[in-house]
């Protein structure tokens, strides 16, 4: 009787172990599939949007913006950084949760959208404007912001563009910072609405990498700063932030922005 009990117990234990392994394998396979679906969906949206990427044309609404805003009137700009995969439409919602898990089509998406802080002026007229985007592997969304933490990449790459419905800014990156999500200097854009020079001083003292010459030139012509922020893994609530000076290459109209 005791041997029968032991055989039964061993059988049940083995069955339980095998079942746990099967369930673990199934969960891992599902997680891998689900993760792949998230990245595939984000890439599909990006490919759709790139077909509509606007070109700045002085004095008239870009046809690309007309099509983008027909899809979603919250599209307010297009941002790109050279030699990265950052090349996306920018949206602005009623608050900063509107597009954190919503794509440009208005569909739920864990990859979300690139969006402008809801406290900023939609026409990027503030002295300091703040963009958010998820950090995704394979260069998705704002994943490539992490490249600027590498000194060699930062030294060799500084340019980008911010296109608005009726004009554009050339972007020149002058700082990369690693900050906490509670850092008011970065994440309270209303502090620098009319004067971003104190933020520039803060960046000079706290950045991982810094270009003084870009900032000096921007200060001479009227300082406007664009921040691009994404999650990072160095510590809890870490954020990678890239700061760029905005140089008007075609002056944006205040109308229709």
């Amino acid at each position: 009787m005791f041997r029968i009990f032991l055989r039964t117990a061993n059988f049940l234990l083995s069955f339980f172990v095998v079942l746990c392994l099967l369930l673990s394998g199934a969960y891992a396979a599902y997680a891998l599939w689900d993760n792949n679906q998230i990245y595939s969906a984000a890439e599909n949206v990006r490919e759709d949007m790139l077909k509509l990427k606007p070109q700045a044309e002085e004095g008239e609404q870009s046809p690309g913006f007309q099509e983008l805003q027909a899809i979603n009137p919250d599209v307010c700009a297009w941002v790109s950084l050279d030699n990265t995969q950052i090349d996306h439409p920018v949206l602005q919602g009623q608050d900063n949760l509107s597009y954190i898990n919503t794509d440009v089509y208005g569909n739920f998406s864990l990859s979300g959208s690139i969006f402008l802080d809801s406290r900023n002026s939609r026409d990027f007229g503030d002295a300091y404007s703040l963009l958010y985007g998820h950090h995704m592997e394979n260069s998705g969304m704002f994943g490539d912001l992490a490249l600027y933490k590498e000194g060699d990449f930062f030294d060799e790459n500084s340019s980008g563009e911010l296109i608005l419905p009726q004009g554009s800014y050339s972007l020149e990156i002058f700082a990369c910072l690693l900050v906490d999500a509670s850092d008011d200097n970065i994440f309270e854009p209303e502090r620098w609405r009319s004067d971003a020079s104190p933020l520039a001083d803060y960046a000079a003292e706290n950045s991982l990498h810094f270009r003084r010459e870009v900032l000096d030139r921007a200060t001479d012509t009227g300082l406007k700063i664009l921040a691009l922020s994404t999650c990072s893994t160095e510590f809890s609530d870490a954020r990678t932030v890239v700061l760029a000076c905005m140089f008007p290459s075609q002056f944006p109209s205040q109308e229709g922005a």
Side-chain angles (χ1 to χ4, degrees), residues 69-129:
Q69 291 177 337
I71 293 171
N72 190 328
D74 286 342
V75 174
C76 60
W78 188 286
V79 65
S80 59
L81 298 182
D82 295 340
N83 298 319
T84 75
Q85 295 299 308
I86 295 173
D87 202 6
H88 302 284
V90 177
L91 296 92
Q92 186 182 47
Q94 292 184 346
D95 56 50
N96 287 338
L97 296 178
S98 297
Y99 288 103
I100 195 168
N101 289 134
T102 303
D103 66 22
V104 67
Y105 294 110
N107 299 322
F108 174 77
S109 170
L110 289 175
S111 60
S113 299
I114 306 303
F115 62 95
L116 173 67
D117 193 291
S118 61
R119 295 164 292 183
N120 274 129
S121 172
R122 178 182 168 90
D123 64 2
F124 290 82
D126 297 333
Y128 173 61
S129 300

Side-chain angles (χ1 to χ4, degrees), residues 13 20 54 57 60 62 89 115 127 142 161-162 176 183 200 227 248:
L13 180 60
C20 287
E57 299 178 19
E60 59 183 84
S62 167
F115 62 95
F142 269 1
E161 188 174 31
L162 181 72
C176 178
D183 189 332

Side-chain angles (χ1 to χ4, degrees), residues 2-14:
F2 183 69
R3 290 180 179 178
I4 294 175
F5 172 78
L6 285 179
R7 285 198 297 269
T8 302
N10 286 333
F11 171 80
L12 291 175
L13 180 60
S14 298

Side-chain angles (χ1 to χ4, degrees), residues 17-251:
V17 170
V18 170
L19 180 62
C20 287
L21 291 173
L22 290 173
L23 290 174
S24 297
Y27 178 78
Y30 170 77
L32 184 62
W33 174 85
D34 186 56
N35 191 61
N36 184 65
Q37 292 295 105
I38 292 170
Y39 282 91
S40 294
E43 183 59 27
N44 289 339
V45 171
R46 182 174 182 272
E47 290 178 359
D48 288 347
M49 293 299 101
L50 284 173
K51 297 174 184 177
L52 302 176
K53 181 178 178 179
Q55 300 297 321
E57 299 178 19
E58 188 172 4
E60 59 183 84
Q61 175 98 354
S62 167
F65 268 109
Q66 294 176 6
E67 296 182 57
L68 287 168
Q69 291 177 337
I71 293 171
N72 190 328
D74 286 342
V75 174
C76 60
W78 188 286
V79 65
S80 59
L81 298 182
D82 295 340
N83 298 319
T84 75
Q85 295 299 308
I86 295 173
D87 202 6
H88 302 284
V90 177
L91 296 92
Q92 186 182 47
Q94 292 184 346
D95 56 50
N96 287 338
L97 296 178
S98 297
Y99 288 103
I100 195 168
N101 289 134
T102 303
D103 66 22
V104 67
Y105 294 110
N107 299 322
F108 174 77
S109 170
L110 289 175
S111 60
S113 299
I114 306 303
F115 62 95
L116 173 67
D117 193 291
S118 61
R119 295 164 292 183
N120 274 129
S121 172
R122 178 182 168 90
D123 64 2
F124 290 82
D126 297 333
Y128 173 61
S129 300
L130 173 60
L131 302 183
Y132 302 91
H134 286 302
H135 180 278
M136 299 183 67
E137 301 298 326
N138 303 319
S139 300
M141 304 311 286
F142 269 1
D144 274 355
L145 289 183
L147 296 173
Y148 292 95
K149 291 185 288 187
E150 303 170 11
D152 289 344
F153 187 88
F154 181 89
D155 291 340
E156 296 170 6
N157 298 275
S158 62
S159 58
E161 188 174 31
L162 181 72
I163 305 173
L164 304 182
Q166 294 179 329
S168 64
Y169 288 97
S170 295
L171 302 177
E172 293 195 30
I173 293 166
F174 71 90
C176 178
L177 299 89
L178 186 64
V179 302
D180 190 273
S182 62
D183 189 332
D184 290 346
N185 290 293
I186 300 297
F187 299 109
E188 292 292 335
E190 293 171 310
R191 297 183 67 179
W192 321 120
R193 187 179 299 279
S194 59
D195 181 10
S197 54
L199 174 61
D201 295 337
Y202 173 80
E205 296 176 1
N206 295 278
S207 59
L208 300 173
H209 310 292
F210 188 76
R211 289 189 182 91
R212 170 61 66 181
E213 67 278 7
V214 173
L215 190 60
D216 288 344
R217 185 155 44 85
T219 302
D220 291 340
T221 59
L223 180 62
K224 287 173 67 73
I225 294 176
L226 179 70
L228 300 89
S229 171
T230 194
C231 295
S232 198
T233 59
E234 285 81 357
F235 51 87
S236 179
D237 290 331
R239 298 292 186 269
T240 297
V241 178
V242 170
L243 299 180
C245 291
M246 301 166 59
F247 295 93
S249 53
Q250 294 186 28
F251 290 91

